[in-house]
Amino acid sequence: MTRGVSCMTQSGNSNGQLRGTASRRERERAQRRDDILRAAREVFFQRGFHAVTVDDIAVAAEVGKGTVYLYFNTKETILAHLLLEGLDRLVADLKIAYAFDEAWDAHTRLHRGAIAYLKFFQNNPEYYRLIMAFDRGQFQAAIDPAVYQEVLTRSLDGIEWLERAVKQAQVEGLITIENPREAAGVLWAGLNGVLVLLSHPLRAEIVATDLDSLYGTMTEVLISGLGK
Amino acid sequence: MTRGVSCMTQSGNSNGQLRGTASRRERERAQRRDDILRAAREVFFQRGFHAVTVDDIAVAAEVGKGTVYLYFNTKETILAHLLLEGLDRLVADLKIAYAFDEAWDAHTRLHRGAIAYLKFFQNNPEYYRLIMAFDRGQFQAAIDPAVYQEVLTRSLDGIEWLERAVKQAQVEGLITIENPREAAGVLWAGLNGVLVLLSHPLRAEIVATDLDSLYGTMTEVLISGLGK
Amino acid sequence: MTRGVSCMTQSGNSNGQLRGTASRRERERAQRRDDILRAAREVFFQRGFHAVTVDDIAVAAEVGKGTVYLYFNTKETILAHLLLEGLDRLVADLKIAYAFDEAWDAHTRLHRGAIAYLKFFQNNPEYYRLIMAFDRGQFQAAIDPAVYQEVLTRSLDGIEWLERAVKQAQVEGLITIENPREAAGVLWAGLNGVLVLLSHPLRAEIVATDLDSLYGTMTEVLISGLGK
Amino acid sequence: MTRGVSCMTQSGNSNGQLRGTASRRERERAQRRDDILRAAREVFFQRGFHAVTVDDIAVAAEVGKGTVYLYFNTKETILAHLLLEGLDRLVADLKIAYAFDEAWDAHTRLHRGAIAYLKFFQNNPEYYRLIMAFDRGQFQAAIDPAVYQEVLTRSLDGIEWLERAVKQAQVEGLITIENPREAAGVLWAGLNGVLVLLSHPLRAEIVATDLDSLYGTMTEVLISGLGK
DNA sequence: CATGAATGAGGATTCATTCAT
DNA sequence: AATGAATGAATCCTCATTCAT
């Protein structure tokens, strides 16, 4: 819902229905674009960025190689759009989870946020890896600065919602630590730390613990610890 | 003699003096090997795995390109040995920090371990990134299974020391959570989560908090939370 | 009507007014064609044949890319027409200069021709380069044979006027060499040789002489030498 | 003779015989290099720079594609070396022709120089075209500045010898024009102008004159004209 | 043991041209 | 007539690895 709009490079045709040949052209363009992104998603997620050639994407999308370049300037750009896609999904999930228009208590809200993050990780492991790996290596250099900004902005949304929930928890006396940004950082770092550890086959083997269990424990430990 | 030893960076050569031409040959081999690893360390850490060619390494090591292949089968293998090197350092640091032959209380021991991990991260950011990035991407496939085992073994050392400290903390009543492995997992995940978050430029920007401060808070929160 | 006419840049359209929709269509076609040629002239002269894409031309002409191919079969054809355009201009300039309907003496006529050639070179350096470079490289193969013929025909006009002036000079005793075609060849080769040398940055640097001066000297030397 | 030495990138081993494996390596390298240059000469001269791929050169040289890049950084570099090769030959021919250690009169010397230039053109038409085309188009940008300098230097040799002969002609009263550089420019421009004209199929057709004849006439006309 | 010359598979990107609308 | 989306052939260059000396 949100994703489609926010990722569209051109358009901005928010008026829903379009009519005439111009609109059909535009719809076809959007369709092609989505075809290519879907194809890229498949092959990137399956075989990894480096192992995939632009030809592979073109074949999977059933278009010519040149067509891919008609919609995306570089291979990296395609990956960047998948990254944004993933971030969109995550942000959307978190928005629903935090639901600041609902009258929940802080404990419920924090739990819902934590659960939503875990679910996102479990349902979209490739997107999660993409988001976490972003900016590592020489990838960052090849990326449109606008995309970087976009990633930053969206990520800030997530952390700000968390911070807002933390403030509520402070009001309710659940959390006693002063600095809300630091408390939010601890929560994010702790929960994400579990995902990072267990998303890695080798480290998962070392920890030898069930993800749900460890994540749950971490949630309790953090909330408990933040409340002194 | 064993491979495990040979990848010690500052190899103690604790068996004293080797004599005769055979020993000189061996010493020269070890020297060459170290030269190459040192060179690889420099260029890999400076420019990244992909940007570096085997030629670069050979030039930096002042040996022929073929010589590099005399000591390491593939480019990936070299990186793997750097990874082991980093792990060696980390394990050595942790061993000193935990110092189970000392009669410290659990709180002190846990703190010392946490501080050692942070120091390692701050003093060897490239080694840390290498360790964390291990197994991501196409790297894992190209790696010698023996190295994988080695990494697993060493890492287990670290987690077992942590677990041992946790058990001591349970005995002393500092930690009330039942499963010591889970408690150790929470500690590792939490502390490492801070490092992961702040080792990433973009996320560091988002969190906008000082590393030492956040890491310290996390330590307190975790210990406090694990003690109910 | 004939292709030859259509490539006149400032086409005289000497057949007066065309009327009716048919004529309007035709005028519009001619207009589009000129738009494209004008655009091609700009971009080719500014950035060179190879650096320019058909898309660049289309954008500069403010037409669709397909439209370009409606008027010219290949990218090379467009260049060929620019070449003819340049040749048209040169021939027109020479015609005015030689002005065989005027009662000038041979010396004046030869001088006027020489000056006109120099002025063309100075006022239209890109056209001059185009004319001189013609047939070099792989360009010749991609060219319409009709264009080749056209170039040949026009060029012959020029040399024939020169020859006619030479014959007048023989009559007047200014030139004593027997074969008028050879004398004309010497004049053309000599004057053109100066332009070739000085139109080339590196060789201009080597010769280190002012164009006007060298050209003037050459003119005198040739006429003088041809008169024994 | 001169050429080989002056074009060698490395080496400078002017001591003739080399011994030992190091020298053999070096000789083999030089041999490979020459193989590639010879192959490039063939295919470039036959099909033109743009029509030739690096693969074509590799195949013709019977080496791998990578090997070509071991000796020359870019395709343009190869052409540049062919250009220098041609220039070397020309300069060598001119040196022999002018032979300033001989006690010839100016007329003889000028004639010998002119003839040598003509012979070079006739024996090495492709080299001549290469030299004349140099610096046109985008080629100049891709070239090593050192090569440009080299071309400049060599070319200056040629023009200086011509100038020296002109000065002798002034002393002997054969040439009365004041500025020797200008007189040399006229001679070079005139003779080269004939070659340019007749090296071009279309213009040769227009002029319709025998090269030897026109060149000879030009020589006489110029010398005669320069002497008043 | 040491070397470094040789290899050639591999891949991103461009662009002239076509053709359905 | 006009358009511009789609195509895919074409090409330069890199670099890990091998192997003869």
Side-chain angles (χ1 to χ4, degrees), chain B residues 204-217:
Chain B
E205 200 174 343
I206 293 167
V207 174
T209 308
D210 174 54
L211 170 59
D212 284 294
S213 166
L214 191 60
Y215 194 85
T217 305

Side-chain angles (χ1 to χ4, degrees), chain C residues 133-144:
Chain C
F134 171 65
D135 191 287
R136 278 279 169 70
Q138 74 286 28
F139 178 52
Q140 70 203 92
I143 261 210
D144 188 337

Side-chain angles (χ1 to χ4, degrees), chain C residues 53 79 87 218:
Chain C
T53 73
L79 189 67
L87 209 53
M218 179 64 90

